[in-house]
Amino acid sequence: MLHEDTSPPVHLIAAKYSVWSRDWSVTLGNQCALIGSSLVLKCEYDYPYGHVVNAVSWSKVLQVDGELMRVPLSELPEPPDHFRYVGNYHGLCNLRINDVRPADQGRYYFSFVTTFNRWRSKDYLTAVLVPSTVSEGESVRLICRSGCGGSPSTVWFRDGQRVQESDFQVSREDAGKYHCAIRGQESVISASVTLNVQYAPKNVTLLMPEKVIAGSSVTITCSSEANPAVTPEGYNLYKDGQLIVSGQNVTIADVRPNDTGLYHCTAWNNIMGEDVTNSTEVYLDVQYGPTTMLVSMNPHEAAEGGSVNMTCSSDANPAADSYTWYRQSDSNSSSSMLWVGSGKVLTLHSVEASDKGVYVCQARNSVGERNSSGLLLVTVKKEHHGLFDFSICAVVVIVTIRNSSRLLS
């Protein structure tokens, strides 16, 4: 009685047809086997005269951690006699596979090492990208070539995910590693090729603090997404619309109030011609304590019983939120400083002789404080009809308060 074997065949793609390099060659053939049967992959190799073969090996292409790798058969978790080398060291490289299973389908490679060199069989399928480097928006074509002749039906994958079209207009998301495979036999695959998608800078970002204290240092960094990456020379930094320097990282070592302004940077990488991409603008607010203290007195002369206004102003960022007035009755002693009032304007009503002395204004904000020069208020004794009148005059003097905290004690 005849029994028909209906076990489905397993295709084993061994390698490309004979591959030569002078006297070097490995000749393999593609074979088909029934599940459960035994198979001998026919293989021959050659090498130049004078070489001695000292090592031979077979490997299979497998996906390991998302990458296609050639794994030696000796490292596969198979029964001891599943793969058996039945060749020799003189030109025969046959491989016997016992009890063929569906998992045996795939690409196999033979390699050998001589005393002077090494050689390995080549790919059955070759993946080609035309072109392999392309600018975003241009077209690319995927070509899968077979070393066995004919035009087998193939499919494409990018980073392990199926690709539907072999001709398409690329975007940056299409960059990655591509390989092709025989349709229906996806374990028969080519080596991976990389598609490099170039594009102009996008998402240009300027990183810097929005507030900084005068006298400190600040670093300004510009970044972007681009391929090829923007070089440091491809970045330009602007302040209030004016170019100030080129570079990706710029440090201002001693920030000054005139560094306040609107900053932005541009990025360029030679893609899309001369076009540059701008970042959003960032306002740098340089903060400093009170400076340029100005004090004045009005009127400059007043009769006893009259009034005097003393005014204080300063340049500060943020603006001074506290003005305090002190009087030094003894010019030789800073300990005689007495608090006399608060506010930008100090008004003395009904001036008396006891009001004489040096008046100092202290301005304060969240950054620091500063003292003004002193206003000297004196009384001048005059004789008039047997009576004494007092005249008030103001003289500006310089007074240094060595320890302002003591003024409030």
Side-chain angles (χ1 to χ4, degrees), residues 4-56:
E4 182 179 2
D5 192 339
T6 59
S7 301
V10 175
H11 296 275
L12 298 143
I13 306 301
K16 195 175 179 179
Y17 52 90
S18 181
V19 181
W20 293 84
S21 176
R22 296 184 182 178
D23 296 324
W24 297 93
S25 71
V26 175
T27 304
L28 298 166
N30 302 320
Q31 300 192 38
C32 179
L34 296 177
I35 295 175
S37 65
S38 295
L39 167 73
V40 175
L41 290 178
K42 301 296 184 181
C43 174
E44 296 179 357
Y45 66 101
D46 201 1
Y47 48 91
Y49 178 78
H51 288 245
V52 175
V53 176
N54 51 35
V56 296

Side-chain angles (χ1 to χ4, degrees), residues 71-92:
V71 180
L73 298 185
S74 59
E75 297 180 6
L76 297 181
E78 302 289 351
D81 202 38
H82 187 66
F83 295 110
R84 183 180 179 186
Y85 183 66
V86 291
N88 53 39
Y89 286 74
H90 309 291
L92 190 65

Side-chain angles (χ1 to χ4, degrees), residues 42-269:
K42 301 296 184 181
C43 174
E44 296 179 357
Y45 66 101
D46 201 1
Y47 48 91
Y49 178 78
H51 288 245
V52 175
V53 176
N54 51 35
V56 296
S57 65
W58 278 88
S59 59
K60 182 182 180 183
V61 174
L62 295 174
Q63 194 165 32
V64 179
D65 295 331
E67 295 289 335
L68 296 177
M69 300 180 61
R70 294 183 178 92
V71 180
L73 298 185
S74 59
E75 297 180 6
L76 297 181
E78 302 289 351
D81 202 38
H82 187 66
F83 295 110
R84 183 180 179 186
Y85 183 66
V86 291
N88 53 39
Y89 286 74
H90 309 291
L92 190 65
C93 48
N94 292 346
L95 175 68
R96 183 181 184 88
I97 304 177
N98 295 311
D99 189 18
V100 173
R101 293 170 294 175
D104 293 324
Q105 181 173 275
R107 273 192 304 159
Y108 291 77
Y109 289 86
F110 173 74
S111 61
F112 64 98
V113 179
T114 71
T115 49
F116 305 111
N117 212 331
R118 65 177 62 232
W119 191 255
R120 188 188 66 214
S121 55
K122 304 301 182 183
D123 289 331
Y124 164 66
L125 292 177
T126 303
V128 180
L129 303 176
V130 183
S132 60
T133 298
V134 61
S135 295
E136 190 172 34
E138 296 180 347
S139 296
V140 68
R141 184 182 181 190
L142 311 179
I143 301 173
C144 191
R145 295 172 178 166
S146 170
C148 293
S151 301
S153 178
T154 58
V155 291
W156 282 90
F157 297 86
R158 174 179 59 84
D159 297 331
Q161 301 298 316
R162 180 75 175 270
V163 176
Q164 300 300 324
E165 303 292 336
S166 58
D167 290 89
F168 54 92
Q169 191 176 49
V170 300
S171 64
R172 71 187 68 183
E173 291 78 14
D174 294 316
K177 293 184 177 181
Y178 287 74
H179 73 266
C180 59
I182 300 294
R183 187 182 300 274
Q185 301 180 50
E186 278 72 13
S187 61
V188 181
I189 58 178
S190 70
S192 296
V193 289
T194 300
L195 177 62
N196 180 23
V197 180
Q198 298 185 333
Y199 51 92
K202 297 182 183 296
N203 297 327
V204 181
T205 302
L206 184 65
L207 181 63
M208 60 185 294
E210 295 184 356
K211 294 181 181 181
V212 64
I213 304 300
S216 61
S217 65
V218 62
T219 298
I220 303 173
T221 301
C222 194
S223 62
S224 65
E225 297 176 13
N227 184 28
V230 178
T231 63
E233 295 76 17
Y235 290 102
N236 287 323
L237 181 64
Y238 293 79
K239 175 180 176 285
D240 297 328
Q242 301 296 316
L243 175 65
I244 56 175
V245 70
S246 295
Q248 185 174 10
N249 298 288
V250 178
T251 298
I252 304 175
D254 183 13
V255 178
R256 300 186 178 184
N258 60 8
D259 292 319
T260 295
L262 280 172
Y263 290 77
H264 80 273
C265 68
T266 62
W268 176 78
N269 68 347

Side-chain angles (χ1 to χ4, degrees), residues 275-310:
D275 292 343
V276 297
T277 307
N278 296 333
S279 72
T280 56
E281 290 185 319
V282 178
Y283 184 77
L284 177 62
D285 182 18
V286 180
Q287 299 189 336
Y288 51 93
T291 63
T292 317
M293 300 285 293
L294 297 176
V295 288
S296 62
M297 180 180 291
N298 184 43
H300 295 292
E301 293 185 1
E304 181 183 10
S307 64
V308 174
N309 291 325
M310 299 182 189

